[in-house]
Amino acid sequence: MKKILLSAILSFIGFINYGQEEIKFIGLNLEDNAYTKEFKTLEIPDFNSPVNDSYYLTKVNDTLYYHQQKIDDEFNINKINDIIEGLGKIEKGEVDKKEKRSILKNTELTINSLKEDISSKFRSISFSKYDYDYLNVINTAKYEKSKYELGVKRNNESIEAAKNNAMKNLGGDYIKNHPTIEKKVETLVPIEDFNAVKGYYILKGSIYISTHNDFSKKIFIGKILTGNEIYYLSSSEYKTMSWYKSIDGEGIDVYGNISSFKKYDKEMLTILKEGSKNMGAELDYSSNNPNFILKNGKKIKITPFAYYCLKNKEYNFLEKEKNIKAKMKIYKSEMSSLIDKIAQYRSKTKIAYDATKKGQALRKKIQELYDNNDDGHYHFLQMLDTETIKVNTEFNEVLRAAELLFGW
């Protein structure tokens, strides 16, 4: 988390952790494309009006055959249900001889009529006499029924897929001419009164907004979509925005992909305000990076090191940074002179031993410049030029190798 925060301070981009960190918006304007929810009357396609598009109508006609097949299959399912119900009554002894003969006769006629259309399961049943295995016929009927029902289900899916695909691909020119209606819906509207954006916010999640009209799902441009609705849409058919919720209800909720330098962590804002007060400076948010403006008009950029010092209530960071850079020029020369001597630990032990002792003392001085902690070291490195960083890295590597050899 520290590295994420510190790196973000460097550019003031992306420092917000996607959790429950409290943030405040600073300097929002119309160019930031920030939105809020509002009920608004929109002109949308009349999805209940018949579609009069040749492509769609062709696809609908293509499904008529399957639609009739579905009706036929459902009719056969009802016939099979009658078989199962009638033979079930016989098995349970719930009918007299006359009704039994009627049921058996109807069963024979029904199965014979179905034999031409369905599988060999029914074709294997013979009706030369009426003393056949009723239970076997019942089980066969149940099997055939399940097959029919599965076929109807798949048929329905094919019909709906063909129609929906045709509606989904209605041409843009057609959509422009399709009848419309006015409907009051909750949608996102640009924020115009930024005084309503006040207090602290948390990142609550995302919101999805349709950017196209989809007749198959009755989705219109500007509709706030649910997760289920976007599942079947391509990423080009909607846009995703971050949702920032007012934690105390003081301000309106904000939606949008807002530049990170307009969002300030609560702790960061507190530290910057306290720092500006102690330095008698004005806190300026006009650029991508906040600045202090001193009374003499001098502008001081809040660098990662400056923020680190402010966090530790060290307000003399300009002098401290100047002092660190000056000392590192001296220490760079000392490190360079010691590296070759320390590196001789395998052959010239006495020279390497003495140089290592001096190196340890020098390392301690350098560590004191950044308070010998990870945060301070990160900012310390940001101040150094490439050549100094290279010398410092080589010095520490050689020094550590020598220490291991000497058992320190």
Side-chain angles (χ1 to χ4, degrees):
M1 175 60 199
K2 287 182 179 178
K3 286 186 177 180
I4 293 174
L5 180 58
L6 297 174
S7 176
I9 295 169
L10 184 60
S11 60
F12 282 82
I13 294 176
F15 71 87
I16 297 177
N17 181 34
Y18 285 89
Q20 297 296 308
E21 282 195 53
E22 298 178 17
I23 61 123
K24 193 168 189 177
F25 294 103
I26 303 292
L28 282 183
N29 56 55
L30 292 174
E31 296 178 355
D32 291 307
N33 293 318
Y35 301 83
T36 189
K37 276 185 181 179
E38 187 177 296
F39 279 96
K40 184 179 179 181
T41 299
L42 298 179
E43 189 173 339
I44 67 172
D46 183 359
F47 296 114
N48 294 319
S49 180
V51 175
N52 187 25
D53 177 80
S54 58
Y55 175 75
Y56 169 75
L57 294 175
T58 299
K59 290 297 180 182
V60 172
N61 288 334
D62 289 344
T63 65
L64 291 180
Y65 166 77
Y66 298 100
H67 181 70
Q68 185 59 48
Q69 186 182 57
K70 182 185 75 170
I71 294 174
D72 293 341
D73 287 345
E74 289 175 344
F75 181 65
N76 287 337
I77 289 172
N78 290 332
K79 287 183 179 180
I80 294 173
N81 280 334
D82 290 340
I83 292 173
I84 295 171
E85 182 181 356
L87 295 181
K89 288 181 179 180
I90 294 175
E91 282 290 299
K92 296 174 184 177
E94 297 176 350
V95 296
D96 56 25
K97 288 183 179 181
K98 182 179 179 181
E99 187 175 356
K100 177 180 177 181
R101 283 196 300 269
S102 176
I103 290 173
L104 293 176
K105 186 61 178 177
N106 288 333
T107 298
E108 178 182 1
L109 292 172
T110 301
I111 290 179
N112 285 335
S113 69
L114 293 172
K115 280 183 178 181
E116 298 179 4
D117 302 322
I118 55 183
S119 74
S120 60
K121 287 286 185 180
F122 274 142
R123 290 175 184 159
S124 64
I125 296 175
S126 172
F127 294 99
S128 57
K129 54 184 178 180
Y130 292 131
D131 58 349
Y132 53 84
D133 186 350
Y134 305 139
L135 186 58
N136 176 54
V137 178
I138 291 175
N139 290 334
T140 301
K142 288 180 178 179
Y143 171 80
E144 294 294 350
K145 176 186 175 183
S146 66
K147 281 179 54 179
Y148 263 95
E149 288 176 334
L150 180 60
V152 170
K153 180 176 179 295
R154 289 174 176 171
N155 195 28
N156 287 343
E157 291 172 353
S158 297
I159 291 172
E160 290 305 311
K163 291 170 64 177
N164 289 343
N165 187 59
M167 294 187 82
K168 188 178 178 66
N169 290 288
L170 287 172
D173 290 338
Y174 170 76
I175 293 174
K176 292 177 184 178
N177 298 318
H178 187 80
T180 59
I181 58 172
E182 289 187 346
K183 185 175 182 179
K184 193 170 186 178
V185 296
E186 190 173 33
T187 187
L188 294 188
V189 296
I191 295 175
E192 296 180 356
D193 180 13
F194 289 98
N195 291 321
V197 182
K198 52 189 175 181
Y200 286 94
Y201 289 76
I202 58 171
L203 179 61
K204 190 68 175 178
S206 297
I207 191 168
Y208 310 100
I209 311 299
S210 172
T211 56
H212 86 306
N213 295 309
D214 188 332
F215 279 73
S216 64
K217 298 180 179 63
K218 297 186 178 180
I219 291 174
F220 51 87
I221 296 173
K223 186 178 191 297
I224 298 174
L225 303 171
T226 65
N228 290 333
E229 285 175 322
I230 68 168
Y231 182 80
Y232 296 101
L233 300 179
S234 67
S235 58
S236 63
E237 295 172 333
Y238 65 90
K239 57 184 176 182
T240 305
M241 295 183 180
S242 297
W243 168 24
Y244 300 95
K245 183 169 183 60
S246 174
I247 60 174
D248 53 11
E250 183 180 358
I252 60 174
D253 285 5
V254 176
Y255 304 86
N257 300 317
I258 301 165
S259 298
S260 293
F261 69 84
K262 296 290 182 79
K263 300 175 290 195
Y264 285 80
D265 172 76
K266 187 175 184 178
E267 179 188 11
M268 179 185 292
L269 197 57
T270 301
I271 290 170
L272 292 178
K273 286 181 176 178
E274 185 178 346
S276 65
K277 181 179 179 181
N278 279 276
M279 295 179 66
E282 178 187 347
L283 190 54
D284 173 34
Y285 300 105
S286 61
S287 62
N288 290 10
N289 197 99
N291 299 279
F292 285 159
I293 300 179
L294 302 180
K295 290 181 178 179
N296 61 8
K298 182 180 179 180
K299 184 176 286 190
I300 302 173
K301 184 177 180 180
I302 309 300
T303 64
F305 177 71
Y307 180 78
Y308 171 73
C309 292
L310 291 170
K311 192 174 182 180
N312 293 316
K313 302 185 184 302
E314 297 176 298
Y315 304 115
N316 62 335
F317 55 84
L318 290 177
E319 292 78 8
K320 188 172 182 179
E321 182 175 350
K322 184 178 179 181
N323 179 56
I324 289 173
K325 289 180 178 179
K327 286 188 175 181
M328 281 305 294
K329 285 184 179 180
I330 300 172
Y331 295 159
K332 176 185 176 183
S333 177
E334 293 180 16
M335 285 189 290
S336 297
S337 66
L338 287 173
I339 287 174
D340 289 339
K341 293 178 182 179
I342 296 173
Q344 298 180 58
Y345 55 80
R346 294 187 183 280
S347 56
K348 299 180 181 180
T349 307
K350 182 68 170 69
I351 293 175
Y353 184 90
D354 292 341
T356 301
K357 282 288 187 181
K358 292 179 181 179
Q360 288 178 319
L362 178 57
R363 181 178 61 193
K364 186 175 181 181
K365 290 180 182 180
I366 295 172
Q367 288 173 337
E368 288 174 353
L369 295 178
Y370 58 83
D371 303 325
N372 195 19
N373 65 63
D374 290 341
D375 285 355
H377 185 246
Y378 172 85
H379 300 300
F380 167 74
L381 292 177
Q382 301 297 318
M383 295 183 226
L384 306 182
D385 59 81
T386 304
E387 183 60 31
T388 303
I389 292 175
K390 182 179 177 181
V391 172
N392 183 65
T393 302
E394 185 179 2
F395 170 73
N396 282 300
E397 289 175 351
V398 172
L399 181 60
R400 184 56 186 150
E403 287 176 327
L404 290 173
L405 181 68
F406 295 133
W408 296 344

